[in-house]
Amino acid sequence: MSSGTRRNWFLRHAAVSRLFAAVASGLAISLLAAQGQAAGTDNGIFLSTKSSVSAPSGATDLCQRYAWACQTSALSPVSANALLPVARKVNRAVNQKVRSVADSVQYGAKEVWSLPSPRGGDCEDYALAKKHDLIGKGVPAQRLLLATVFGQRTGSHAVLILRLDDGDYVLDNMTDDIKHWSKTKYTFLRIQDPGAPERWKTVFASN
């Protein structure tokens, strides 16, 4: 092989190596970004989960009673841009339709996670109804996460989290407005595990 041929071979080899390195670097960055978003560590845009924790009282058999409450589904007939408008309609409709009734009045128990009855329901029942209705409208189940919070006005409380591409948003029976979690003035305690909704994770995030 002549010196000119060897030089051309080395130049081509170096170019190919640089190309592969660039592709590998890009894939690594994309993977880390996706993992960060899935874990909720994207600069506070998503709720960051921590250690595993038991389900809230009254929700220990939730998956057995309502399989859809713990399912995952990636495919969606609803476009990403339509998710929030659909959620606003469902949030408002459930808030207006369901009458607020404490579990102690309705069931004679401190806490029962259930779909609202004809009499009504309390905060976790509102959240379950919204999750049920949104799944029925084609919103992917893994974007819908039940969560428990603490608020100065509400005390212990339950809400539904809608996980959009730009962050976690809260559907709350206390308001028809859907706000980013950081704008709610709640302390978030625990949330369904996005990868396995039958499990729960601690959060301990406030704003």
Side-chain angles (χ1 to χ4, degrees):
M1 183 184 297
S2 68
S3 60
T5 302
R6 282 196 300 272
R7 182 173 179 275
N8 289 337
W9 183 88
F10 280 119
L11 287 173
R12 286 196 301 271
H13 181 73
V16 170
S17 298
R18 286 194 298 271
L19 176 61
F20 274 111
V23 170
S25 177
L27 288 174
I29 292 171
S30 298
L31 180 60
L32 287 171
Q35 289 174 337
Q37 178 170 321
T41 57
D42 197 73
N43 296 324
I45 295 175
F46 299 92
L47 288 163
S48 179
T49 59
K50 298 177 176 62
S51 59
S52 296
V53 69
S54 60
S57 173
T60 55
D61 62 344
L62 188 65
C63 300
Q64 287 70 44
R65 290 186 290 117
Y66 302 123
W68 49 265
C70 304
Q71 75 181 41
T72 57
S73 59
L75 299 178
S76 172
V78 181
S79 69
N81 291 335
L83 289 171
L84 191 55
V86 169
R88 286 196 180 103
K89 290 180 180 179
V90 169
N91 188 57
R92 187 180 304 109
V94 173
N95 286 352
Q96 292 175 355
K97 177 176 65 177
V98 177
R99 178 173 173 264
S100 180
V101 180
D103 285 338
S104 58
V105 173
Q106 182 158 217
Y107 302 111
K110 183 177 180 181
E111 189 172 359
V112 178
W113 288 55
S114 176
L115 284 173
S117 74
R119 295 182 65 186
D122 64 357
C123 56
E124 64 266 12
D125 304 346
Y126 281 86
L128 276 167
K130 292 168 187 179
K131 181 165 186 173
H132 175 269
D133 291 357
L134 286 168
I135 291 174
K137 292 184 178 297
V139 176
Q142 81 265 11
R143 287 187 179 269
L144 301 166
L145 304 169
L146 299 166
T148 61
V149 303
F150 184 87
Q152 290 184 348
R153 290 175 52 212
T154 63
S156 297
H157 189 49
V159 296
L160 180 66
I161 301 299
L162 173 64
R163 177 153 287 185
L164 299 179
D165 294 342
D166 63 343
D168 286 339
Y169 291 79
V170 179
L171 281 69
D172 190 351
N173 66 298
M174 302 298 292
T175 176
D176 289 342
D177 293 332
I178 295 180
K179 302 176 182 179
H180 188 265
W181 77 267
S182 64
K183 306 296 183 182
T184 61
K185 298 183 180 179
Y186 285 137
T187 296
F188 289 77
L189 305 177
R190 51 187 159 185
I191 189 172
Q192 284 183 298
D193 185 340
E198 70 277 7
R199 297 196 293 263
W200 288 73
K201 295 279 192 175
T202 56
V203 182
F204 296 122
S206 59
N207 48 77

